Protein backbone atom coordinates (compact mmCIF):
# COMPACT_ATOMS: atom_id res chain seq x y z
CA UNK A 1 0.00 0.00 0.00
CA UNK A 2 1.43 3.35 -0.97
CA UNK A 3 1.72 6.38 1.28
CA UNK A 4 -0.87 8.23 -0.83
CA UNK A 5 -3.36 5.38 -0.37
CA UNK A 6 -2.80 5.42 3.40
CA UNK A 7 -3.38 9.15 3.55
CA UNK A 8 -6.55 8.81 1.48
CA UNK A 9 -7.86 6.04 3.73
CA UNK A 10 -7.04 8.09 6.85
CA UNK A 11 -8.76 11.13 5.42
CA UNK A 12 -11.82 9.07 4.53
CA UNK A 13 -11.97 7.77 8.10
CA UNK A 14 -11.61 11.29 9.48
CA UNK A 15 -14.42 12.59 7.29
CA UNK A 16 -16.65 9.67 8.25
CA UNK A 17 -16.05 10.35 11.95
CA UNK A 18 -16.76 14.04 11.46
CA UNK A 19 -19.99 13.27 9.63
CA UNK A 20 -21.16 10.92 12.41
CA UNK A 21 -20.46 13.63 14.96
CA UNK A 22 -22.26 16.23 12.88
CA UNK A 23 -25.34 14.05 12.43
CA UNK A 24 -25.43 13.13 16.12
CA UNK A 25 -24.96 16.77 17.16
CA UNK A 26 -27.80 18.03 14.97
CA UNK A 27 -30.11 15.34 16.38
CA UNK A 28 -29.12 16.30 19.94
CA UNK A 29 -29.61 20.01 19.28
CA UNK A 30 -33.05 19.34 17.81
CA UNK A 31 -33.90 17.46 20.98
CA UNK A 32 -32.39 19.70 23.64
CA UNK A 33 -31.28 22.93 22.01
CA UNK A 34 -27.70 24.06 21.47
CA UNK A 35 -26.98 25.40 24.95
CA UNK A 36 -28.40 22.33 26.68
CA UNK A 37 -27.12 19.86 24.10
CA UNK A 38 -25.01 17.17 25.76
CA UNK A 39 -21.64 16.59 24.10
CA UNK A 40 -21.43 13.33 26.03
CA UNK A 41 -24.60 12.10 24.32
CA UNK A 42 -23.24 13.22 20.95
CA UNK A 43 -19.95 11.35 21.23
CA UNK A 44 -21.70 8.28 22.62
CA UNK A 45 -24.01 8.22 19.62
CA UNK A 46 -21.06 8.72 17.25
CA UNK A 47 -18.99 6.07 19.04
CA UNK A 48 -15.94 8.24 19.66
CA UNK A 49 -14.00 9.69 22.61
CA UNK A 50 -15.18 12.94 24.19
CA UNK A 51 -12.27 15.03 22.93
CA UNK A 52 -12.91 13.93 19.35
CA UNK A 53 -15.90 16.23 19.15
CA UNK A 54 -13.81 19.32 19.89
CA UNK A 55 -11.09 18.17 17.49
CA UNK A 56 -13.63 18.44 14.66
CA UNK A 57 -15.83 21.24 16.05
CA UNK A 58 -14.17 23.75 18.42
CA UNK A 59 -17.61 24.72 19.80
CA UNK A 60 -21.20 23.58 19.47
CA UNK A 61 -21.85 26.77 17.53
CA UNK A 62 -19.49 25.56 14.80
CA UNK A 63 -21.88 22.67 14.19
CA UNK A 64 -24.80 25.09 13.89
CA UNK A 65 -22.84 27.35 11.52
CA UNK A 66 -22.03 24.39 9.28
CA UNK A 67 -25.63 23.22 9.44
CA UNK A 68 -26.72 26.63 8.19
CA UNK A 69 -24.25 26.52 5.31
CA UNK A 70 -25.32 23.01 4.30
CA UNK A 71 -29.00 23.86 4.42
CA UNK A 72 -28.43 27.04 2.46
CA UNK A 73 -26.66 25.06 -0.26
CA UNK A 74 -29.65 22.72 -0.40
CA UNK A 75 -32.06 25.66 -0.65
CA UNK A 76 -29.94 27.35 -3.31
CA UNK A 77 -29.98 24.24 -5.47
CA UNK A 78 -33.79 24.13 -5.37
CA UNK A 79 -34.04 27.87 -6.03
CA UNK A 80 -31.69 27.66 -9.03
CA UNK A 81 -33.93 24.98 -10.53
CA UNK A 82 -36.99 27.12 -9.78
CA UNK A 83 -35.44 30.14 -11.50
CA UNK A 84 -34.51 28.10 -14.57
CA UNK A 85 -38.02 28.99 -15.79
CA UNK A 86 -39.14 32.62 -16.12
CA UNK A 87 -40.34 33.88 -12.70
CA UNK A 88 -41.38 37.35 -11.69
CA UNK A 89 -39.99 38.92 -8.52
CA UNK A 90 -43.11 38.32 -6.40
CA UNK A 91 -43.17 34.61 -7.28
CA UNK A 92 -39.45 34.33 -6.53
CA UNK A 93 -39.88 35.89 -3.09
CA UNK A 94 -42.85 33.65 -2.29
CA UNK A 95 -40.80 30.57 -3.25
CA UNK A 96 -37.95 31.76 -1.04
CA UNK A 97 -40.41 32.12 1.84
CA UNK A 98 -41.71 28.60 1.16
CA UNK A 99 -38.20 27.13 1.17
CA UNK A 100 -37.33 28.93 4.39
CA UNK A 101 -40.47 27.68 6.13
CA UNK A 102 -39.67 24.15 4.91
CA UNK A 103 -36.20 24.50 6.45
CA UNK A 104 -37.73 25.58 9.74
CA UNK A 105 -40.03 22.55 9.66
CA UNK A 106 -37.09 20.24 8.89
CA UNK A 107 -34.92 21.56 11.74
CA UNK A 108 -37.65 22.27 14.26
CA UNK A 109 -38.59 25.74 15.43
CA UNK A 110 -36.11 25.88 18.31
CA UNK A 111 -32.99 24.89 16.36
CA UNK A 112 -34.06 27.06 13.43
CA UNK A 113 -34.25 30.09 15.72
CA UNK A 114 -30.87 29.29 17.24
CA UNK A 115 -29.34 28.97 13.79
CA UNK A 116 -30.69 32.38 12.77
CA UNK A 117 -29.60 33.94 16.06
CA UNK A 118 -26.05 32.76 15.42
CA UNK A 119 -25.79 35.11 12.44
CA UNK A 120 -26.53 38.10 14.65
CA UNK A 121 -24.25 37.41 17.60
CA UNK A 122 -20.78 38.99 17.88
CA UNK A 123 -19.36 35.70 19.22
CA UNK A 124 -20.34 33.61 16.20
CA UNK A 125 -17.83 31.37 14.42
CA UNK A 126 -16.29 32.69 11.22
CA UNK A 127 -19.17 33.00 8.77
CA UNK A 128 -19.58 34.16 5.20
CA UNK A 129 -20.38 37.75 4.36
CA UNK A 130 -24.00 38.42 3.40
CA UNK A 131 -23.24 38.68 -0.31
CA UNK A 132 -21.42 35.31 -0.23
CA UNK A 133 -24.55 33.41 0.83
CA UNK A 134 -25.98 31.54 -2.12
CA UNK A 135 -29.70 32.05 -1.47
CA UNK A 136 -29.26 35.72 -0.62
CA UNK A 137 -27.13 36.22 -3.74
CA UNK A 138 -29.81 34.59 -5.92
CA UNK A 139 -32.50 36.90 -4.55
CA UNK A 140 -30.22 39.92 -4.95
CA UNK A 141 -29.64 38.94 -8.59
CA UNK A 142 -33.39 38.62 -9.11
CA UNK A 143 -33.91 42.14 -7.74
CA UNK A 144 -31.16 43.40 -10.04
CA UNK A 145 -32.77 41.73 -13.04
CA UNK A 146 -36.13 43.19 -12.07
CA UNK A 147 -34.58 46.66 -12.21
CA UNK A 148 -33.01 45.96 -15.61
CA UNK A 149 -36.40 44.76 -16.90
CA UNK A 150 -38.19 47.79 -15.49
CA UNK A 151 -40.03 45.63 -12.98
CA UNK A 152 -38.21 47.15 -10.01
CA UNK A 153 -39.08 50.86 -9.71
CA UNK A 154 -36.35 53.46 -9.79
CA UNK A 155 -35.90 55.11 -6.42
CA UNK A 156 -33.70 55.48 -3.40
CA UNK A 157 -33.63 51.76 -2.53
CA UNK A 158 -30.96 49.75 -4.31
CA UNK A 159 -31.85 46.18 -5.32
CA UNK A 160 -29.20 44.73 -2.97
CA UNK A 161 -30.63 46.71 -0.06
CA UNK A 162 -34.15 45.62 -0.98
CA UNK A 163 -33.04 41.99 -0.86
CA UNK A 164 -31.50 42.54 2.56
CA UNK A 165 -34.73 44.12 3.85
CA UNK A 166 -36.61 41.10 2.55
CA UNK A 167 -34.45 38.56 4.39
CA UNK A 168 -34.09 40.47 7.65
CA UNK A 169 -37.82 41.11 7.84
CA UNK A 170 -38.62 37.52 6.87
CA UNK A 171 -36.38 36.09 9.59
CA UNK A 172 -37.86 38.43 12.19
CA UNK A 173 -41.38 37.50 11.14
CA UNK A 174 -40.66 33.78 11.27
CA UNK A 175 -39.10 34.03 14.73
CA UNK A 176 -42.01 35.98 16.20
CA UNK A 177 -44.97 34.30 14.46
CA UNK A 178 -44.30 30.59 14.99
CA UNK A 179 -47.46 30.21 17.13
CA UNK A 180 -49.70 32.39 15.00
CA UNK A 181 -52.50 30.26 13.45
CA UNK A 182 -52.72 32.76 10.57
CA UNK A 183 -49.03 32.52 9.83
CA UNK A 184 -49.31 31.25 6.24
CA UNK A 185 -51.58 34.12 5.27
CA UNK A 186 -49.36 36.54 7.19
CA UNK A 187 -46.29 35.47 5.23
CA UNK A 188 -48.09 35.85 1.90
CA UNK A 189 -49.26 39.31 2.92
CA UNK A 190 -45.72 40.17 3.98
CA UNK A 191 -44.36 39.76 0.44
CA UNK A 192 -47.09 42.02 -0.92
CA UNK A 193 -46.53 44.65 1.77
CA UNK A 194 -42.77 44.62 1.17
CA UNK A 195 -43.12 45.09 -2.57
CA UNK A 196 -45.66 47.87 -2.20
CA UNK A 197 -43.35 49.57 0.29
CA UNK A 198 -40.60 49.43 -2.32
CA UNK A 199 -42.85 51.07 -4.86
CA UNK A 200 -44.18 48.08 -6.78
CA UNK A 201 -47.76 48.39 -8.07
Amino acid sequence: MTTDTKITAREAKRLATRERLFTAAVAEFKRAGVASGDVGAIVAEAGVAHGTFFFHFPTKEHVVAELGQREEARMAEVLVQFLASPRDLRTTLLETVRLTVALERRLGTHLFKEMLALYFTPNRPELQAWNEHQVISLVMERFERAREDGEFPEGEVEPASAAMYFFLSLYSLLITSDRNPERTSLLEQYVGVLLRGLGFP
Side-chain angles (χ1 to χ4, degrees), residues 3-5 10 14 24 29-30 35 39 52-53 70 80 101 151 166 168 175 191:
T3 302
D4 288 345
T5 304
R10 189 181 303 117
R14 185 190 72 80
F29 297 162
K30 284 183 180 180
V39 174
T52 305
F53 176 85
R70 290 188 185 198
V80 165
V101 171
E151 184 184 356
F166 165 72
L168 290 172
I175 288 172
V191 171

Side-chain angles (χ1 to χ4, degrees), residues 20-34:
R20 287 202 312 276
L21 282 165
F22 179 82
T23 301
V26 171
E28 174 67 6
F29 297 162
K30 284 183 180 180
R31 183 192 69 80
V34 178

Side-chain angles (χ1 to χ4, degrees), residues 119-139:
Y119 285 92
F120 300 99
T121 176
N123 298 321
R124 67 184 183 273
E126 185 69 25
L127 296 173
Q128 298 162 301
W130 279 106
N131 60 0
E132 294 174 346
H133 287 270
Q134 298 172 66
V135 173
I136 294 175
S137 293
L138 287 168
V139 173

